[in-house]
Amino acid sequence: MLLGSLPGLAAVAALWLCAAGVERAVSSHARAAAARTAAARATVAHAAPRPAVVPRAQWLGDAARDQPDPRYDDAVVAVFVHHTDTPNAYDCADAPGIIRGLYDGQTDGRDWDDLGYNFVVDRCGTVYEGRAGGIDRPVTGAHTQGFNHRTAGVAALGTFTEGVPVPDALTEAIAAVAAWKLGGSDTDPRTRVRLVSSNGHSRYTAGDTATLPAVAGHDEGYQTTCPGAALSARLPEIRERAARLQGRTGDERRVQEAGSP
């Protein structure tokens, strides 16, 4: 019953650490770049297979609120990893209900238009579609203030502060999502990318260029302890696993020119 009633006060407080809302769509210049990206995608050298993803209809059903049309960017060049700061001792069969609680907390409690995360992964390694707009498309999320554009937000269902065990199935699933989403832009998960902060609520002034890991913790872009020290410690392993899933065998890492076109 506790899990079914999420988000409680702790969950609602945790949601404060996510982005304040969906940002404006990208410029016409970026939309033009989208066409170029789509044309190049057919020849991406390091595409990764799409993992199995549970559609949002399975956890949301007919309870979706009215919302504006999804917003899109030209590509995904970075993935931000989060944790939901909710209890860990859940049965994975209950994960859809917990995600529904997160959705209720963000749409009813905070009056957002949708769940902020693009994907949610449970401790058994099941990947759930989060924000609406199509899992194969570069949907603009609401997960990391200043860096919602050209990124995807993946939330680990649970709380992964220091000393908390992080299930291998969960990290494997995060790596699979990262490899797949970054593969479309041929971004090495082990590299660092240049992103432009869209507002001053991030760790950077609006308009500043930040060089961040292609697979970053939420705390890399925003003043927060998310995704927790235990999960943050697993990020190097997640990056390496994602790179292998993309078929990268060498150490060809470099800072990619991944800022706004």
Side-chain angles (χ1 to χ4, degrees):
M1 290 301 292
L2 174 61
L3 295 179
S5 66
L6 282 173
L9 292 178
V12 173
L15 297 178
W16 175 258
L17 298 178
C18 293
V22 181
E23 299 179 36
R24 292 180 60 84
V26 293
S27 65
S28 58
H29 186 78
R31 287 194 294 271
R36 295 193 299 272
T37 300
R41 195 162 289 158
T43 58
V44 168
H46 297 99
R50 185 180 80 182
V53 179
V54 177
R56 62 188 266 126
Q58 187 163 324
W59 58 264
L60 187 56
D62 59 359
R65 288 165 51 113
D66 291 336
Q67 61 187 67
D69 292 337
R71 295 166 171 82
Y72 300 96
D73 291 298
D74 64 304
V76 171
V77 299
V79 170
F80 280 94
V81 178
H82 305 257
H83 69 174
T84 58
D85 209 9
T86 51
N88 289 2
Y90 56 87
D91 189 303
C92 289
D94 295 326
I98 301 172
I99 300 169
R100 167 71 178 276
L102 293 169
Y103 173 85
D104 289 343
Q106 293 187 353
T107 59
D108 288 337
R110 296 189 55 78
D111 201 29
W112 293 8
D113 62 351
D114 196 0
L115 187 68
Y117 312 119
N118 298 99
F119 299 93
V120 180
V121 177
D122 72 16
R123 65 184 184 87
C124 293
T126 302
V127 181
Y128 292 85
E129 176 185 12
R131 195 170 188 81
I135 60 173
D136 291 307
R137 302 187 66 183
V139 178
T140 306
H143 54 85
T144 305
Q145 276 281 18
F147 297 106
N148 288 316
H149 290 287
R150 311 193 85 216
T151 70
V154 182
L157 197 63
T159 302
F160 297 101
T161 49
E162 187 169 3
V164 174
V166 181
D168 290 341
L170 184 145
T171 60
E172 289 282 324
I174 293 173
V177 173
W180 163 51
K181 295 304 291 184
L182 294 175
S185 60
D186 206 15
T187 299
D188 188 333
R190 303 165 299 177
T191 196
R192 297 175 72 84
V193 298
R194 294 188 177 100
L195 297 170
V196 178
S197 179
S198 62
N199 64 58
H201 297 294
S202 73
R203 289 185 179 271
Y204 300 84
T205 302
D208 281 359
T209 297
T211 302
L212 302 173
V215 179
H218 186 188
D219 57 348
E220 295 272 3
Y222 186 63
Q223 294 282 359
T224 178
T225 58
C226 177
L231 184 51
S232 292
R234 301 289 296 273
L235 288 179
E237 170 191 334
I238 289 170
R239 294 178 188 119
E240 290 293 338
R241 173 61 177 163
R244 291 196 298 273
L245 289 172
Q246 288 186 348
R248 299 180 188 271
T249 56
D251 191 25
E252 61 272 13
R253 286 170 283 184
R254 59 186 176 85
V255 174
Q256 296 188 196
E257 296 290 342
S260 297

